[in-house]
Amino acid sequence: MKCVKPNLFVLCLSLFFTYSIGAQDFQGRAEYVYKAKMNLGSWGAKMSQEQKKQIAARLKNRLEKTYILSFNKEESIYREFEKLDAMSGATDSWGKNFTPGHQYKNVKTNSFVQNQELYGKRFLIKDELLKIDWKMETETKQIGNYMCFKAITRIPSSLLSFWEFSWSELRSQSKKEESGKEGSENESPEKDEDKVEEIQMTEIVAWYTPQIPVSQGPSEFWGLPGLILELSIGDTTMLCSKIVINPKEKTKIEAPDKGDVVTKKEYKKIVFKKMNEFRGSYSGRRRS
């Protein structure tokens, strides 16, 4: 991650609060409200407003969630606060396959660990922290009792939310693989080298407070001189709704340790392979 220089006011705040926090066995707990917009793609154009409302009601557990971030000066664990579906009394079992498990970050060792269950099989994703080149802004705003500063970055979309899945992404990946095979058979190596694939980027806006000088934030995000209290990632927002510093009941912050060990890239390939198998078996049933 590229180093950035905060302005003098941010630096002074950070030094002051670092001193006051350093004298304690410091730990914090932050609650985040996660909200995502429903994206129906090309199907949405064919649906009535009533149909869209019905789908939104069914998908509410996926589009609106609460997450808990427990953190100390070097580590954090981010997990979903699970609630029963008020309508059915059950959790979203299918969506759970593509919801992040417990996410552990250690800014001192640059390590990231996440446990994940995919159709009954446990995985343990071990990798480096997401590389983020933040651009610090001077704009400020108040979130609750905390003065926050703005920071922005752009990250390749393929590196975000590696645990998620979409059929459109699978179709796009399949087309790339097919065109790659055709290209290797019909084109010369010189022509292949001239091809430059356009990388899709996602802009991310963060609001962080140096009043809590830990380099942590929700999900995979980190690397600012203060706790991230708000994130905007495309159509998704994560907003901190509650903070408790040094809660009476301390949380054990440690990395998950159960499951087959893979990297983020390896896990994404496993998800695509599994869903390709589902697509193949479904197509076979339709033809029979």
Side-chain angles (χ1 to χ4, degrees):
M1 188 194 71
K2 184 178 177 181
C3 292
V4 289
K5 292 183 179 180
N7 61 42
L8 184 60
F9 178 65
V10 175
L11 184 60
C12 289
L13 272 177
S14 297
L15 290 173
F16 173 75
F17 284 99
T18 300
Y19 175 79
S20 61
I21 283 174
Q24 310 169 42
D25 181 17
F26 173 72
Q27 188 177 116
R29 184 177 184 272
E31 294 184 12
Y32 292 85
V33 176
Y34 167 99
K35 289 188 177 181
K37 288 184 181 178
M38 184 174 63
N39 183 5
L40 296 173
S42 58
W43 289 99
K46 305 172 186 177
M47 294 180 180
S48 66
Q49 288 301 317
E50 186 60 33
Q51 287 173 320
K52 289 179 183 178
K53 284 181 181 179
Q54 289 174 357
I55 292 174
R58 288 195 215 111
L59 295 179
K60 187 174 181 181
N61 279 359
R62 294 185 206 171
L63 300 175
E64 297 180 14
K65 300 182 179 184
T66 301
Y67 286 88
I68 307 296
L69 178 74
S70 299
F71 56 89
N72 55 36
K73 286 178 282 187
E74 295 175 355
E75 306 165 283
S76 71
I77 192 82
Y78 185 70
R79 68 191 190 280
E80 182 181 354
F81 178 71
E82 295 188 38
K83 295 182 289 186
L84 288 178
D85 187 327
M87 296 291 290
S88 65
T91 55
D92 179 9
S93 57
W94 190 87
K96 200 173 179 68
N97 292 297
F98 309 110
T99 298
H102 291 190
Q103 297 175 314
Y104 169 87
K105 300 192 297 290
N106 188 315
V107 298
K108 185 177 182 180
T109 61
N110 191 39
S111 57
F112 173 87
V113 184
Q114 176 176 319
N115 62 3
Q116 194 74 31
E117 187 170 321
L118 182 67
Y119 292 101
K121 186 169 183 179
R122 288 185 178 184
F123 292 92
L124 192 66
I125 297 115
K126 287 189 172 184
D127 218 312
E128 295 181 346
L129 293 174
L130 184 66
K131 292 181 175 63
I132 309 175
D133 184 6
W134 292 108
K135 180 184 176 184
M136 316 271 286
E137 304 284 325
T138 56
E139 188 177 345
T140 64
K141 75 173 179 179
Q142 194 82 9
I143 298 178
N145 297 322
Y146 298 92
M147 174 65 73
C148 295
F149 291 80
K150 185 179 182 180
I152 59 174
T153 189
R154 286 169 60 83
I155 293 177
S157 303
S158 60
L159 299 181
L160 297 171
S161 303
F162 63 88
W163 57 87
E164 291 183 348
F165 168 79
S166 72
W167 291 109
S168 60
E169 192 176 4
L170 179 61
R171 286 191 292 269
S172 175
Q173 184 70 20
S174 298
K175 284 180 183 177
K176 284 181 185 178
E177 291 174 358
E178 288 172 9
S179 62
K181 289 176 184 176
E182 291 173 3
S184 62
E185 293 173 358
N186 302 324
E187 297 181 11
S188 64
E190 290 79 9
K191 288 183 180 179
D192 285 342
E193 290 174 2
D194 293 337
K195 288 184 177 179
V196 178
E197 185 179 351
E198 185 178 350
I199 300 174
Q200 185 177 356
M201 305 292 285
T202 297
E203 183 177 85
I204 296 159
V205 178
W207 293 90
Y208 68 94
T209 178
Q211 290 174 250
I212 307 176
V214 295
S215 188
Q216 296 286 354
S219 191
E220 294 188 80
F221 297 95
W222 69 291
L224 287 165
L227 181 67
I228 298 171
L229 297 191
E230 183 178 335
L231 273 171
S232 297
I233 310 163
D235 291 337
T236 300
T237 59
M238 302 178 197
L239 176 63
C240 184
S241 59
K242 182 180 179 181
I243 298 175
V244 180
I245 300 298
N246 291 318
K248 291 180 180 179
E249 292 185 13
K250 296 293 178 77
T251 300
K252 195 171 185 180
I253 301 175
E254 58 184 8
D257 59 2
K258 290 182 174 61
D260 292 351
V261 178
V262 292
T263 63
K264 296 176 187 176
K265 192 173 182 179
E266 289 169 342
Y267 181 75
K268 196 154 192 174
K269 286 182 179 179
I270 291 168
V271 172
F272 279 165
K273 183 180 178 182
K274 185 71 175 176
M275 301 314 291
N276 249 328
E277 291 172 358
F278 280 161
R279 184 172 65 171
S281 62
Y282 177 72
S283 299
R285 287 198 302 271
R286 288 187 65 184
R287 286 194 295 268
S288 61

